[in-house]
Each structure stands twice: as C-alpha cells, then as structure tokens.
Amino acid sequence: MGVRHVMGTGTYLGRPSMVGRRKKAIFSFIKDRIWKRINSWRGRPLSKACKEIMIKSVLQAIPSYGMSVFILPDTLVEDIEKMLNAFWWGGASNNKGIRWLAWDSLTYPKNEGGLRFRDFKAFNMAMVAKQGWHIMNNQNTLFSKVFKAKYFPNSSFLAADLGTNPSLVWRSLWTARQVLVLGSRWRIGDGSNINVMREPWLRGVEGGRMEAPQEEHVYSLVVKDLMDPLCKQWDRNKIDQLFTDEITDIILQVPLVGDVTEDGIVWK
C-alpha cells in the first residue's frame, strides 16, 4: 500500500510518540533544549535581575508542554533543576560558581527567603492532575471515554486501579490522582456513583474518606444505599446499624440538596 516502515519512535506534536523503558533517554530532548538555550546566553554580562527573568519566562517554560501529559523521571527533573541552579549562581561566561542555596530553597516565596522559582516536581504533578480533572468533569469527550473504557469501566477515576501493563500516560494520570484526592470531593446528587468507602465525599474528615476498617458488606455500598428511597434524606436507622455514633454524626452533617440530581466532583 506504499506505507513506509519508519525506524525509531520520533515525536508527534512535540511529544514522544512511543515511550519505552528508558524514559530518561526518551525525554532527554527537554534537557537538551534547556542546555542549548543556556549556552546561547554564555558570554553575556547578565545581571541577577536579568537571569531571574530569563529563568522564569524562558527556561521554566520549556518543560511545560511535556509535563502537561507525562510525569517525568525524577532523575531528569533533578538534572534540569541542577542546570538552572548552576546558571543562576554561575558567572557570565560559564556556570561555575558556589551554589549558595539549593534549588528547593529558591522555590520559596520571596517573603520566605526564596525567589519563587518553579518546583518542577510539584508543577509536573499539578499539570497532569489537571488532565485528570478534565476526565472527571468532561466525561462525554473522546479523551475521557477512551480512558474510562480501557482503565476504569466499572468505577470512577478517583477509585480506579493502576491495572496491568498501563501506558505512561495512564500511569502519570494515576499517580497525579493524589492531588485531586486531597483537593476535591463529591457533591452528592442521587448518590449512585459514589462508593461509600473508596470515594472522598464526607465533610470535616481528612481526605473526605470513610475510616477503615468497616463491615465487609459496607465496601460494596454506594451513598444512595444510605439514603431514604422515598425522599432525599439520610436513612438514620440504616446508618445507625452500619456505623458507630461518631461516624453517623459525620454522615448526617453532609447536606443533601434536593435541586442537585447528579453526582459531581467539586474542588474543596
């Protein structure tokens, strides 16, 4: 049919089209771009104010595109931070010099003694978590449907398992879930999509999750099972039978709004 056999993986839309086991080598092009840009500035008499602008507006922006989809290897992120730190403390014609502070200290706000440079690991997690937020709140898009059908057909994104032989994109999304678990919770509609034990839906509880262990059959319940089937109220008798007085009080504090008919994720 005239289709050429192409050796290698290459990139598509600026990202690697295929990622193997050597992840650091695959994403090394990001480090190379930063290094080339730093080398192009060598020999220029840059002040500290100019270096700060260069780092924040140019160098920090180079990895952003890749970090919006993949969790980059920790060793690669550390190499990038070392390069930027060396550029900040280095001389005009080279990057040699005493590094008076580590990069972690430079990421603090200025009123705390830092320069508010980017914490790349935290930024990477936040960018990928944003894609997970898109999956949860835009379930009718092709992107969301494909991932749900392949990785969590019978559960929500927050309750999904990593599975076997996951792609790097799904592994990254699954890892960044912890950001969403800590910062979001369910808004109860009919309660049919919210697992009692595995989902963050409680208020006034760290993480919003039900405390374990509980009776075995509780793990298969959804929030709808704790509600009165005739009206949108908590079934106090059933809740008293399943949980302790302390947990019962926590559940009863969760408001049930009659106008809200569909379960949805909200940011706390």
Side-chain angles (χ1 to χ4, degrees), residues 21 48 92 136 227 263:
R21 294 182 179 273
K48 284 297 184 183
M136 293 190 299
M227 298 164 60
D263 301 323

Side-chain angles (χ1 to χ4, degrees), residues 56-220:
K56 290 182 177 179
S57 61
V58 180
L59 299 180
Q60 289 186 159
I62 292 175
S64 299
Y65 191 57
M67 285 183 171
S68 64
V69 176
F70 304 104
I71 298 290
L72 300 186
D74 289 343
T75 53
L76 177 63
V77 174
E78 290 170 1
D79 288 346
I80 292 173
E81 291 178 346
K82 288 178 181 178
M83 289 168 55
L84 299 188
N85 199 25
F87 173 69
W88 171 252
W89 294 110
S93 59
N94 57 63
N95 289 330
K96 296 181 180 179
I98 299 176
R99 303 176 189 179
W100 296 102
L101 286 174
W103 184 260
D104 291 344
S105 299
L106 297 178
T107 60
Y108 294 158
K110 291 188 176 182
N111 59 0
E112 297 180 11
L115 290 168
R116 208 175 185 82
F117 288 147
R118 180 169 292 167
D119 183 335
F120 283 98
K121 292 182 181 179
F123 177 77
N124 196 180
M125 290 285 285
M127 290 292 284
V128 178
K130 186 176 180 180
Q131 302 296 336
W133 184 261
H134 175 79
I135 289 177
M136 293 190 299
N137 289 276
N138 299 276
Q139 299 182 12
N140 293 325
T141 62
L142 179 61
F143 171 70
S144 301
K145 289 180 179 179
V146 168
F147 275 89
K148 180 170 180 59
K150 185 172 183 180
Y151 294 110
F152 53 100
N154 301 317
S155 67
S156 68
F157 174 71
L158 294 181
D161 296 323
L162 180 59
T164 57
N165 195 26
S167 66
L168 181 60
V169 175
W170 173 246
R171 187 182 292 275
S172 299
L173 288 167
W174 190 84
T175 303
R177 256 189 345 168
Q178 58 184 289
V179 177
L180 301 176
V181 169
L182 294 174
S184 63
R185 62 170 172 80
W186 280 94
R187 179 187 60 191
I188 300 175
D190 61 2
S192 60
N193 297 314
I194 309 172
N195 184 276
V196 170
M197 293 299 300
R198 302 181 66 185
E199 306 280 4
W201 61 279
L202 296 175
R203 299 191 179 188
V205 178
E206 184 176 357
R209 294 172 180 268
M210 182 71 67
E211 183 180 355
Q214 299 291 341
E215 297 291 337
E216 183 177 356
H217 63 278
V218 174
Y219 288 81
S220 61

Side-chain angles (χ1 to χ4, degrees), residues 9-50:
T9 57
T11 60
Y12 177 71
L13 297 178
R15 299 189 181 102
S17 58
M18 184 177 297
V19 180
R21 294 182 179 273
R22 300 178 59 194
K23 297 180 179 61
K24 184 176 180 180
I26 293 294
F27 292 103
S28 61
F29 70 92
I30 297 176
K31 178 181 173 180
D32 294 340
R33 288 178 184 175
I34 295 175
W35 180 247
K36 289 179 181 178
R37 186 56 62 91
I38 291 176
N39 282 337
S40 68
W41 294 335
R42 282 187 174 183
R44 300 182 184 181
L46 301 177
S47 65
K48 284 297 184 183
C50 185

